[in-house]
């Protein structure tokens, strides 16, 4: 089965956006382009303001992804779990759509008896092990996030440990917002090695505003840029792929 | 943890509530909550006058995935890997459909509770049992993944360890599905998260450390140094120090190999104490503190020999024994020879 690539945006933030476009609308835009948006809210104590919580859940909901609000200490474990869960969800959706084509539009996996569902899940499990995954990580580096950034770095390294254990290919890119000059700054361009982050992350300076919306918009164009560049370079690869399928 | 709140609310059931399956029409009366994790809540329920464990989740995928694992376990002959699966179904309620599965209710204390109540001497016994279960699990192509004391229940009598919660159980060679940081070799920077038998053996070693640190501890410097220090700080772990370290560093490739080594350590311990008492008999002057220091230093020297030659250790000992024996014979022969020689001189002189 050809599922293509799984494309995800992983947003790590600690509160509300306060500049630029509505992030929930931008997440909806991402979903239209088959890019899932997952959000992790990092909190210090048990408190997060209601508005921030609503925005975090809203972004994930309209971005077709998963959201979690956690303490900084649980970040590493959550980041890998959310990414994995969202990936499985996407694949489940893909398999479900294929199934609908075969069985008719009214049927979905849930309509199958539990015994048959197992076989479908095996397909999803297989795919989640082998599918190509692209994760664009968007890190909120506004002032309140400053002391959480080392934890974020560790969590991202832990994420690459989890994802690199798969046999499928992984590509990562990291953007931070706000950037030094612009709303968004690219920290790491598409690479299979997220470990490269270790040397760059400590140099981060943290700024005031939280332009979450523009950051998601920029993230989307980052996926596009990559694709156009790829189509120029990798034409041979693609035709080979088509033949083999 | 905050993140489970939404899940908990959706799957929250009241005591006495009756759940009826959509497909198989079995009825289950909820008795109490047994526990909850990232992927659902487990309830104790009654069905046809029999207690069962029922796991519900709003995430149908994880339910199906776990059912697949349990079904595959059922195919392994005569095994007690995980609880046996009784039913899989959907429960239709006003707010939507919730998937659930029903399994055998494994009743007992968790690993740490049991060791706490019955004494530390149970620790190696349970670990030996666990390792032979893991051996079976590994040879059928799986890795347990989320191995931790909470997922190990001691049933009985006679006490027998059982694994529950197969949420992390992964086919060998794939990425581990679910794990708990303290027991995860990736977290400590001591290996990948690819499912191989050594991944579980690492967790077994961490469980042994866990018995001396019931509250666990966080990563500071990480790596083997922090864990070595943790072992050094607890007297009761000194006997197992090199055994634990070998498992942490992935020197045991199979559960069988690790089990053999643990059996050897336990055996060594027994023969040590019996040898010490014999020595006490002979001299009758040794004090108690002295003997205990003897046994410690002995286990230390043994440990120093082992790290890379676990399998050779027993053979080495036998060899040493043989050497000692042949030395004794040599001594006797020499003395007999010497006395005969003296006697011969004496006789010659008398002549």
């Amino acid at each position: 089965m050809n599922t293509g690539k799984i494309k995800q945006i992983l947003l790590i933030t600690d509160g509300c956006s306060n500049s630029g476009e509505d992030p929930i609308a931008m997440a909806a835009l991402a979903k239209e382009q088959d890019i899932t948006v997952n959000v992790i809210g990092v909190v210090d104590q048990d408190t997060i303001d209601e508005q921030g919580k609503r925005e975090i859940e809203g972004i994930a909901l309209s971005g077709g992804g998963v959201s979690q609000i956690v303490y900084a200490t649980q970040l590493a474990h959550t980041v890998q779990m959310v990414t994995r869960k969202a990936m499985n969800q996407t694949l489940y959706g893909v398999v479900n759509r294929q199934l609908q084509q075969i069985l008719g539009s009214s049927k979905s996996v849930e309509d199958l008896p539990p015994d048959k569902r197992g076989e479908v899940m095996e397909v999803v499990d297989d795919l989640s092990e082998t599918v190509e995954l692209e994760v664009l990580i968007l890190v909120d580096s506004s002032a309140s996030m400053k002391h959480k950034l080392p934890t974020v770095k560790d969590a991202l390294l832990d994420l690459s440990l989890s994802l690199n254990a798969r046999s499928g290919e992984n590509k990562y890119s990291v953007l931070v917002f706000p950037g030094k000059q612009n709303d968004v700054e690219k920290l790491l361009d598409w690479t299979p090695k997220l470990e490269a982050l270790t040397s760059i992350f400590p140099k981060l300076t943290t700024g005031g505003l939280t332009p979450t919306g523009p950051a998601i918009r920029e993230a989307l164009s980052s996926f596009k840029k990559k694709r156009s560049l790829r189509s120029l370079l990798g034409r041979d690869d693609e035709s080979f792929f088509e033949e083999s399928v | 943890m905050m993140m489970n709140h939404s899940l908990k609310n959706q799957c929250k059931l009241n005591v006495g509530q009756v759940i009826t399956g959509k497909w198989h029409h079995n009825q289950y009366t909820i008795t109490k909550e047994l526990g909850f994790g990232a992927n659902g809540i487990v309830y104790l329920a009654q069905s046809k006058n029999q207690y069962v464990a029922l796991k519900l989740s709003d995430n149908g995928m994880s339910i199906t995935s776990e059912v697949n694992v349990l079904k595959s376990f059922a195919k392994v002959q005569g095994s007690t890997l995980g609880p046996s699966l009784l039913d899989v179904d959907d429960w239709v309620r006003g707010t939507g459909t919730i998937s659930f599965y029903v399994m055998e209710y494994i009743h007992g204390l968790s690993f740490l509770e049991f060791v706490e109540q019955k004494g530390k001497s149970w620790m190696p016994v349970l670990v030996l049992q666990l390792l032979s279960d893991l051996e079976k699990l590994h040879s059928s192509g799986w890795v347990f993944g989320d191995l931790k004391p909470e997922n190990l229940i001691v049933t009985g009598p006679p006490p027998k360890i059982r694994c529950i919660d197969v949420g992390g159980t992964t086919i060998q060679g794939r990425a581990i599905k679910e794990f708990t940081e303290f027991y995860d070799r990736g977290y400590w920077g001591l290996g990948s998260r690819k499912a191989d038998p050594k991944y579980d053996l690492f967790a077994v070693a961490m469980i042994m450390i866990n018995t001396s640190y019931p509250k666990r501890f966080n990563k500071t410097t990480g790596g083997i140094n922090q864990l070595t220090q943790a072992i050094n700080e607890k007297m009761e772990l000194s006997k197992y120090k090199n055994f634990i370290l070998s498992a942490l560093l992935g020197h045991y490739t199979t559960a069988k190999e690790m089990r053999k080594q643990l059996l050897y350590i336990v055996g060594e311990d027994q023969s040590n104490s019996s040898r010490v008492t014999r020595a006490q008999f002979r001299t009758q002057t040794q004090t108690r503190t002295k003997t205990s220091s003897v046994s410690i230093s002995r286990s230390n020297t043994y440990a120093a020999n082992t790290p890379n030659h676990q399998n050779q250790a027993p053979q080495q000992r036998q060899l040493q024994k043989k050497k000692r024996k042949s030395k004794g014979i040599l001594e006797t022969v020499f003395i007999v020879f010497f006395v005969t020689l003296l006697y011969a001189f004496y006789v010659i002189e008398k002549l």
Side-chain angles (χ1 to χ4, degrees), chain A residues 3 10-11 13 42 50 64 70-71 73 80 88 101 116 127 139 152-153 162 165 174 179-181 212 214 225 228 233:
Chain A
T3 51
L10 176 68
L11 170 64
T13 182
V42 200
E50 202 48 43
V70 293
Y71 303 124
T73 50
Q80 65 86 23
N88 280 351
Q101 277 173 11
K116 292 276 182 293
L127 286 173
V139 182
V152 171
K153 188 198 78 189
S162 276
V174 182
K180 267 178 207 146
Q181 275 101 39
T212 314
K225 263 182 224 154
S228 59
L233 290 170

Side-chain angles (χ1 to χ4, degrees), chain B residues 53 70 74 81-87 101-106 162:
Chain B
L70 291 175
L81 314 168
S84 50
L85 182 70
L86 303 172
D87 190 13
Y101 67 89
V102 183
M103 57 195 149
E104 160 199 13
Y105 172 47
I106 296 177
R162 296 285 302 270

Side-chain angles (χ1 to χ4, degrees), chain B residues 55-69:
Chain B
K55 183 163 183 176
L56 286 142
S57 173
D58 59 337
N59 182 356
M61 286 193 282
S62 70
I63 290 285
T64 311
S65 193
E66 285 172 29
V67 166
N68 275 351
V69 174

Side-chain angles (χ1 to χ4, degrees), chain A residues 11 13-17 23-24 38-43 45-62 66-70 212, chain B residues 1-7 9:
Chain A
L11 170 64
T13 182
D14 69 346
C16 245
S17 66
I24 299 179
N38 301 313
V39 195
I40 296 176
V42 200
V43 290
Q45 280 86 37
D46 209 53
T47 50
I48 181 162
D49 61 298
E50 202 48 43
Q51 201 189 351
K53 195 181 159 199
R54 232 179 298 132
E55 188 179 276
I56 285 168
E57 283 167 359
I59 294 172
L61 196 67
S62 72
V66 179
S67 75
Q68 303 263 281
I69 295 169
V70 293
T212 314
Chain B
M1 224 149 60
M2 296 173 77
M3 54 200 216
N4 288 318
H5 281 181
S6 63
L7 172 91
N9 292 339

